[in-house]
Amino acid sequence: MGKKLNLLMFSGEYDKAMAGLILANAARDIDVEVTMFFAFWGLFLIRDPETMTLEDKTIYEKIMDVVTPKGPEHLPLSRMNFSGLGRMMLEEMIEDQGAPKLIHFLKGARKKNIKFYACKLSVEIMGFKPEELLPEVEIIEASAYLKDALESDMQLFI
Amino acid sequence: MGKKLNLLMFSGEYDKAMAGLILANAARDIDVEVTMFFAFWGLFLIRDPETMTLEDKTIYEKIMDVVTPKGPEHLPLSRMNFSGLGRMMLEEMIEDQGAPKLIHFLKGARKKNIKFYACKLSVEIMGFKPEELLPEVEIIEASAYLKDALESDMQLFI
Amino acid sequence: MGKKLNLLMFSGEYDKAMAGLILANAARDIDVEVTMFFAFWGLFLIRDPETMTLEDKTIYEKIMDVVTPKGPEHLPLSRMNFSGLGRMMLEEMIEDQGAPKLIHFLKGARKKNIKFYACKLSVEIMGFKPEELLPEVEIIEASAYLKDALESDMQLFI
């Protein structure tokens, strides 16, 4: 149908990441073009757990690495996280339904030709090295995001 | 004016529910068509307090029922909730202004020919029975939401 | 390019305010028209720290004034705020990059011909006097926001 969906992934919480990725996957399945722009906490969703490093980082960047989630499966819930207990419970409930988990929706999105962008300013402030992100992620400025979003049929801030 | 508004109600917090319902009501008052799609925590806004049940539910689904709000008036604030004290204070401030409370905006929305949808996957994961939701709610898949949203003039993720 | 961006600033948290203001500034730099509509917690971003007052306020309105942030630089983070420690750390990381702080993005937005609106109902409920807001802020109803948003090419709820 030639439509285009643009998602700004800001929050980096398990449930909101899930919502964004479910929409992204569902959109691809009905042939809608999808762009995901990851900013601030959203970057934690596209860090590559294999290539994280503490080298060449300031003390604040190191603290940030240590206190933040080590991969998509460790993101907290936006509500009722209860130190991760809530997230574990939700994961069990998802499994009970035979529904895919966050990591599967992310894997799906990566295979479905969805464009992954990271916010340049956020990457710099967080002190992430480009090689710490998933290899297909392209780092762009806010203005490039805006141009893409303004040409889309639908934009959400998640 | 033939315009169309689509709201994805994800958060299920008192203040955000209020924001969504105020916009939905205001939109109907200027003849804008409105769709509300409730997902995840947003489902707590459209549960029917009369028909909640613990029967035929797994242990996780029962815990979910017990620890979550029992109706719109019991939703927490997204900020400064202070175990409900903040919400009660906000409700007093609303009353002081003679403004309608959340429950009135919800009642208004239900009378104003707004389409209420619930996310199928969320309903399944949360373990809600269809009869636990308000009777006018229709359960649909993410792809059906997307088609409706892509045809709208404006979409918000709340 | 004659495009128009409409941002509903609801959350009033440091990081989300930053996201909204970065987008608003970037949009102006590529000649996109920008409207920002501040509601609920978002109002804390456009209070004038010089003109705050406790006079003629109810007890709830006074409590609200006392427990809420005294200016943009005092907004909390939406995550990992740790009583303000997280926000201070983020500010240091921003400074390390030579990037502008929230207050600079707000100052930029105020100079760049961005339309600032405040939600009438929110202002009344919070008990703010019009003179407590930045002088260029215009107070409008939800329906006026909707009309503007529906005519825009892109709308976000932040």
Side-chain angles (χ1 to χ4, degrees):
Chain A
M1 65 207 283
K3 293 276 185 181
K4 202 170 155 185
L5 167 66
N6 180 298
L7 303 176
L8 197 173
M9 303 297 287
F10 176 90
S11 302
E13 285 148 343
Y14 189 95
D15 44 353
K16 292 194 176 172
M18 191 91 173
L21 285 167
I22 287 174
L23 291 180
N25 277 280
R28 288 305 297 140
D29 292 345
I30 54 170
D31 275 330
V32 170
E33 210 180 310
V34 181
T35 294
M36 301 185 91
F37 178 67
F38 298 85
F40 276 78
W41 314 109
L43 290 177
F44 292 112
L45 194 57
I46 50 165
R47 276 212 294 186
D48 190 336
E50 309 286 301
T51 60
M52 284 184 205
T53 174
L54 290 179
E55 258 174 70
D56 283 324
K57 294 198 171 177
T58 68
I59 180 69
Y60 290 123
E61 291 168 359
K62 282 178 186 161
I63 294 174
M64 184 62 91
D65 275 1
V66 170
V67 300
T68 53
K70 294 295 155 292
E73 291 297 289
H74 298 95
L75 298 175
L77 288 187
S78 70
R79 288 183 53 186
M80 304 202 287
N81 189 52
F82 302 130
S83 311
L85 210 76
R87 196 213 42 240
M88 279 192 293
M89 196 176 111
L90 184 66
E91 284 185 332
E92 293 291 338
M93 294 170 82
I94 290 170
E95 216 165 276
D96 282 355
Q97 290 299 325
K101 291 208 271 187
L102 179 59
I103 193 81
H104 301 120
F105 281 112
L106 181 58
K107 215 176 273 184
R110 294 181 65 187
K111 278 188 197 146
K112 282 179 180 165
N113 209 14
I114 288 170
K115 196 67 207 141
F116 278 22
Y117 293 114
C119 166
K120 186 165 182 286
L121 185 59
S122 306
V123 170
E124 288 171 359
I125 289 172
M126 297 283 195
F128 293 160
K129 316 280 171 220
E131 58 270 22
E132 284 182 280
L133 303 178
L134 297 176
E136 67 267 43
V137 174
E138 191 182 331
I139 300 173
I140 64 170
E141 309 228 5
S143 57
Y145 153 76
L146 276 171
K147 281 172 194 165
D148 185 281
L150 284 161
E151 297 302 334
S152 302
D153 297 280
M154 170 175 169
Q155 310 84 4
L156 298 177
F157 180 94
I158 298 183
Chain B
M1 64 208 283
K3 294 276 183 179
K4 201 170 155 187
L5 167 67
N6 180 297
L7 303 176
L8 196 174
M9 303 297 287
F10 174 91
S11 302
E13 285 149 343
Y14 189 96
D15 44 351
K16 291 192 177 174
M18 190 92 174
L21 285 168
I22 288 174
L23 291 181
N25 278 281
R28 289 303 298 139
D29 292 344
I30 55 170
D31 276 330
V32 170
E33 212 180 307
V34 181
T35 294
M36 299 184 93
F37 178 67
F38 298 84
F40 277 78
W41 313 109
L43 290 177
F44 292 111
L45 195 57
I46 51 166
R47 275 212 293 186
D48 191 337
E50 309 286 302
T51 60
M52 284 184 205
T53 174
L54 290 179
E55 258 173 71
D56 283 324
K57 294 198 172 180
T58 68
I59 179 68
Y60 291 123
E61 291 167 358
K62 281 178 186 160
I63 294 174
M64 184 62 91
D65 274 1
V66 170
V67 300
T68 53
K70 294 296 153 290
E73 291 298 290
H74 298 95
L75 298 175
L77 288 186
S78 68
R79 288 182 54 185
M80 304 202 286
N81 189 52
F82 303 129
S83 311
L85 210 76
R87 195 211 46 239
M88 277 192 294
M89 195 175 112
L90 184 65
E91 284 186 332
E92 293 291 338
M93 293 171 82
I94 291 170
E95 216 165 277
D96 282 355
Q97 289 300 324
K101 290 207 272 187
L102 179 60
I103 194 80
H104 301 121
F105 281 112
L106 181 59
K107 215 175 274 183
R110 295 181 65 188
K111 278 187 198 150
K112 283 181 181 164
N113 209 14
I114 288 169
K115 196 68 207 139
F116 278 22
Y117 293 114
C119 166
K120 185 165 182 285
L121 185 59
S122 305
V123 170
E124 288 172 359
I125 288 173
M126 297 281 195
F128 292 160
K129 316 279 172 224
E131 58 271 22
E132 286 182 281
L133 303 179
L134 297 177
E136 67 267 43
V137 174
E138 190 182 332
I139 299 174
I140 63 170
E141 309 228 4
S143 57
Y145 152 76
L146 276 171
K147 279 171 194 165
D148 185 281
L150 284 162
E151 298 301 334
S152 302
D153 297 280
M154 172 173 167
Q155 310 84 4
L156 298 178
F157 180 94
I158 296 182
Chain C
M1 63 208 285
K3 293 277 184 181
K4 201 170 154 185
L5 168 66
N6 180 298
L7 303 175
L8 197 173
M9 302 297 288
F10 175 90
S11 303
E13 285 149 342
Y14 189 96
D15 43 353
K16 292 194 176 172
M18 190 92 172
L21 286 168
I22 287 174
L23 291 181
N25 277 280
R28 288 304 296 138
D29 292 345
I30 55 170
D31 276 331
V32 170
E33 211 180 308
V34 181
T35 294
M36 301 184 91
F37 178 67
F38 298 85
F40 277 77
W41 313 109
L43 289 177
F44 292 111
L45 194 57
I46 50 165
R47 276 212 293 187
D48 190 336
E50 309 286 302
T51 60
M52 286 184 203
T53 173
L54 290 179
E55 258 174 71
D56 282 325
K57 295 198 171 177
T58 69
I59 179 69
Y60 291 123
E61 292 167 358
K62 282 177 186 161
I63 294 173
M64 185 62 91
D65 275 2
V66 170
V67 300
T68 53
K70 294 296 154 292
E73 292 297 289
H74 298 95
L75 298 175
L77 286 187
S78 69
R79 289 182 54 185
M80 303 200 290
N81 189 51
F82 303 128
S83 310
L85 210 77
R87 195 210 46 239
M88 278 191 295
M89 195 177 109
L90 184 64
E91 285 185 331
E92 293 290 338
M93 293 170 83
I94 290 170
E95 217 165 277
D96 282 355
Q97 289 300 326
K101 290 207 273 187
L102 179 59
I103 194 81
H104 300 120
F105 280 112
L106 180 59
K107 214 175 275 184
R110 296 181 64 188
K111 278 187 197 149
K112 282 178 180 164
N113 210 14
I114 288 170
K115 195 69 208 142
F116 278 22
Y117 292 115
C119 166
K120 186 164 180 287
L121 185 59
S122 306
V123 170
E124 287 171 0
I125 289 172
M126 297 282 194
F128 293 161
K129 316 281 171 220
E131 58 271 23
E132 286 182 281
L133 303 178
L134 297 177
E136 65 267 45
V137 174
E138 191 182 333
I139 299 173
I140 63 170
E141 309 228 4
S143 57
Y145 153 76
L146 276 170
K147 280 172 194 165
D148 185 280
L150 284 162
E151 298 301 333
S152 302
D153 298 280
M154 170 172 170
Q155 310 83 3
L156 298 177
F157 180 94
I158 297 183

